[in-house]
Amino acid sequence: MNAHASVGQYRTLYGPDDAPTPHITVRGLSKTFQGVVIYDNFNLDIPRGRFTSVFGPNGCGKSTLINLIAGLIPVDRGEVLFGGKTLAQTRIGYVFQNYREALFPWMTAFANVEYALTLRKVPAKQAKERVNALVERLGVKIDLTRYPYEMSGGQQQLVSIMRALVVEPEVLFLDEPFSALDYEMTLFMRDQLQRVFEETGTTMVLVSHDLEEAVYLADYVLLLSRRPAKIADFPLVPMARPRHPSTLSDPDFVELKGRCLETFQREVRKS
Ligand SMILES: Nc1ncnc2c1ncn2[C@@H]1O[C@H](COP(=O)(O)OP(=O)(O)OP(=O)(O)O)[C@@H](O)[C@H]1O
Ligand SMILES: [Mg+2]
C-alpha cells in the first residue's frame, strides 16, 4: 500500500525531508485496561525536532499513547527511549486539554509559569529571568500579572504552554490543547503554537481530534487504527512553514488531508 521504511517508521512518500533522526523510540509497547488491549507489541519512532500530530478513531488510544510515553501511566511491557536516554534523564513538558484545571488559580500567570522552575529548585532571581526571557522570545503580549480567572481560555492555555516550555523541554506533549476553546481562539492558538515550534525547534507531539488541525500543524501525521492500535499511516506533511490560513486550500494540503481521511474512514469501518 505504501512505502513504510520499516515498522514504526514515519515515511517521506510525499516529499523530501532532511532526514530527521528518531527522537522517541517506542519498542514492544503493550498496555491493557481491564482486559481491553489498547497496545500490543507496538513500535514507533517519533522524529527529533519535528511536529508530530496523532490522529485516529475515538478511544483508539491516542491519549494513552502520549501518557505512556510521558510516564503519566505505567506500561505493561515495552521500552520508551528519548535519543537513547530514559524518561528520568529527559526534560519533558505536557499541556493538558483542560486549561481550567491546569493552572493554579491563586497564582498570577507569571507565578504559574515560574512555578515550573521553582519545582526544579531554580533560584528565584534566575527563575524570573528565565520567564522574562521566554516571554520576550515568544513575543507574548498578554499581561502576566493577571490571575487565570481574569484571562480568556486562550490566554490561559498560552500560559499553560509557557509553563511547559519554560523548563526548556526536549519534548513537548499536547493532548487536544485547544478543544475547549472557541473557533476564533483555536485558530489564533494554532498559530501561536506554530510560532513557538518554529522558534524553539522542540520535538512536539500533539493529539488532535481535528484532522485539519492535525495536518496543518504537523511535519508528520501519525494515523492510528482502532485498538489494539497500530500505525495505519505516518505521512510527511510537505508544506512549507510558516503555514497560513491559505495553506488550508493548497492542493497539496487538500490532497494529503483527503488521504488521511480515507485511511481514517477505512479504520473506523473495520469492526
Ligand atoms: N485509566 C483507564 N482505565 C480504564 N480504561 C481506560 C483508562 N484510560 C483509557 N481507557 C480506555 O482505553 C481506551 C483508549 O483511551 P484513550 O483515552 O487513550 O483514547 P483516545 O484515542 O485518546 O480517545 P478520545 O478520542 O476519546 O480522546 C478507551 O477505550 C478508554 O476507555
Ligand atoms: Mg484522548
Side-chain angles (χ1 to χ4, degrees):
M1 177 196 88
N2 58 39
H4 283 281
S6 67
V7 174
Q9 281 264 353
Y10 42 85
R11 65 201 180 84
T12 56
L13 187 66
Y14 291 93
D17 190 3
D18 46 328
T21 49
H23 190 173
I24 307 171
T25 51
V26 176
R27 293 293 177 268
L29 180 73
S30 296
K31 184 72 188 178
T32 298
F33 283 126
Q34 290 146 5
V36 180
V37 181
I38 314 295
Y39 287 97
D40 180 21
N41 199 15
F42 182 81
N43 299 306
L44 171 69
D45 288 349
I46 294 179
R48 183 185 289 278
R50 297 292 188 274
F51 196 115
T52 298
S53 291
V54 183
F55 186 77
N58 273 339
C60 74
K62 302 178 292 294
S63 299
T64 300
L65 179 65
I66 66 170
N67 292 342
L68 289 167
I69 295 174
L72 300 183
I73 51 176
V75 305
D76 292 345
R77 272 193 314 284
E79 181 186 63
V80 178
L81 291 173
F82 299 80
K85 298 187 297 181
T86 64
L87 176 66
Q89 297 165 323
T90 307
R91 276 191 318 279
I92 63 159
Y94 195 110
V95 177
F96 295 89
Q97 175 175 357
N98 193 344
Y99 57 84
R100 287 198 181 84
E101 285 163 23
L103 297 176
F104 297 121
W106 62 89
M107 288 185 188
T108 64
F110 191 97
N112 264 283
V113 179
E114 189 183 11
Y115 184 70
L117 295 169
T118 311
L119 265 186
R120 290 172 186 264
K121 314 240 182 306
V122 176
K125 181 165 176 284
Q126 210 182 321
K128 286 190 176 25
E129 283 166 8
R130 280 177 64 175
V131 178
N132 283 324
L134 180 70
V135 170
E136 197 163 314
R137 184 169 185 199
L138 300 181
V140 171
K141 293 191 177 62
I142 55 181
D143 179 2
L144 296 176
T145 64
R146 290 184 179 199
Y147 287 85
Y149 66 87
E150 298 175 306
M151 311 177 93
S152 72
Q155 289 171 335
Q156 291 179 52
Q157 197 54 302
L158 190 55
V159 173
S160 300
I161 293 172
M162 288 171 63
R163 187 177 60 183
L165 282 172
V166 76
V167 301
E168 296 180 358
E170 293 154 76
V171 184
L172 180 64
F173 298 96
L174 307 110
D175 190 358
E176 303 201 13
F178 311 140
S179 61
L181 305 179
D182 65 35
Y183 192 60
E184 188 186 344
M185 189 53 84
T186 299
L187 293 182
F188 173 73
M189 289 301 296
R190 284 179 194 169
D191 288 331
Q192 291 281 315
L193 183 64
Q194 176 176 227
R195 257 168 28 82
V196 170
F197 171 69
E198 284 169 14
E199 187 63 39
T200 61
T202 307
T203 300
M204 292 194 182
V205 185
L206 169 94
V207 172
S208 178
H209 66 272
D210 179 330
L211 183 57
E212 185 173 278
E213 170 172 291
V215 179
Y216 182 77
L217 286 170
D219 297 308
Y220 291 90
V221 183
L222 172 62
L223 288 161
L224 292 176
S225 70
R226 273 193 184 283
R227 50 173 203 261
K230 302 257 179 319
I231 299 176
D233 206 353
F234 203 170
L236 169 74
V237 184
M239 267 74 66
R241 289 186 185 278
R243 312 249 166 90
H244 300 286
S246 64
T247 307
L248 299 174
S249 49
D250 179 321
D252 285 344
F253 179 90
V254 173
E255 200 223 289
L256 180 52
K257 193 180 134 199
R259 286 191 62 130
C260 290
L261 186 59
E262 261 173 51
T263 305
F264 171 75
Q265 284 172 328
R266 197 172 56 237
E267 291 304 327
V268 169
R269 275 197 300 269
K270 282 183 190 163
S271 51

